[in-house]
Amino acid sequence: MQTTLPEPCCTIDLSTAEQARLVTMFKALGNPIRFEIIKFLATHPQCITGDIVDALPIAQATVSQHLKVLKQAGWIDGIVHGPATNYCLHVENIAWFKSKVGEIL
Amino acid sequence: MQTTLPEPCCTIDLSTAEQARLVTMFKALGNPIRFEIIKFLATHPQCITGDIVDALPIAQATVSQHLKVLKQAGWIDGIVHGPATNYCLHVENIAWFKSKVGEIL
DNA sequence: CTATGTTATCGTATTTTTACGATTAATAGT
DNA sequence: ACTATTAATCGTAAAAATACGATAACATAG
């Protein structure tokens, strides 16, 4: 009953680095708190860490950790402004993500 | 130096259930092996579990587990055909994912 | 220089994910 | 019914993610 492996119907053009970057972006948004942060930033552009902390039911240290993950994944950008940090969505990377997902799926 | 929380610039229309579903889909693809499986299915439509196992460097039990995660997340569909299972991408759910991501980001 | 406000990092406990071998389940062929 | 083939599930060990309090770092105000 074993069928031979069908020939590929097409190829996907994606470098190892690009694929790793995509997986990292998927992983970063695969967490309810981080998704909430992205949603918050989408509706509240240019807010500081404290605003995000206030909007969430978790400790400041944990929020900071999640922001780090989102930043390293490329979803957000943090600009230090005085003692505070302004966070915003990284529009270029988000566009790249959507474009690549559209190519593949 | 504390700024007041800026007013939301817009709202995002997303039910709790939809948001949970999106997070689950992001999480499922946030794993290198599962991403590879999706890529494999995109280029090799209608193959069986064994084909996927052969294409990956991990044990059959682990592949089966990953397939379950992808199926529960809605990325793929498994149709039992004799002793084997044919897997394919769940095109409707994928379209839904892309559409929602486009709305939000 | 000191105090304050803001955020990041450290150390750690708990939970979740990942991977494996072994076993079970289910179907098809003889 | 018996055997072979295919895939899912079980039990479990190891690794990674998540959350917290405490502390450190850094800029600004006084």
Side-chain angles (χ1 to χ4, degrees), chain A residues 39-52:
Chain A
K39 231 178 62 177
F40 187 80
L41 285 180
T43 50
H44 301 79
Q46 290 289 66
C47 56
I48 64 173
T49 308
D51 298 329
I52 304 170

Side-chain angles (χ1 to χ4, degrees), chain B residues 8-55:
Chain B
C9 69
C10 58
T11 55
I12 285 178
D13 179 34
L14 197 62
S15 75
T16 308
E18 284 180 318
Q19 182 162 332
R21 199 176 150 202
L22 271 179
V23 170
T24 301
M25 289 189 85
F26 269 106
K27 187 173 185 178
L29 271 204
N31 171 284
I33 296 282
R34 288 195 291 266
F35 192 93
E36 205 66 60
I37 292 174
I38 292 295
K39 230 179 63 176
F40 187 79
L41 286 180
T43 49
H44 301 80
Q46 290 289 66
C47 57
I48 64 174
T49 308
D51 298 329
I52 304 170
V53 171
D54 291 344

Side-chain angles (χ1 to χ4, degrees), chain A residues 51-104:
Chain A
D51 298 329
I52 304 170
V53 172
D54 292 343
L56 294 171
I58 60 175
Q60 179 265 322
T62 310
V63 173
S64 193
Q65 214 170 239
H66 282 306
L67 287 169
K68 190 177 177 183
V69 172
L70 287 170
K71 193 174 165 193
Q72 284 177 337
W75 284 108
I76 64 175
D77 212 10
I79 295 152
V80 175
H81 193 263
T85 306
N86 285 297
Y87 280 103
C88 56
L89 297 182
H90 196 307
V91 287
E92 277 185 27
N93 286 342
I94 291 176
W96 177 83
F97 175 84
K98 290 195 285 188
S99 139
K100 279 293 167 188
V101 167
E103 275 179 38
I104 296 162

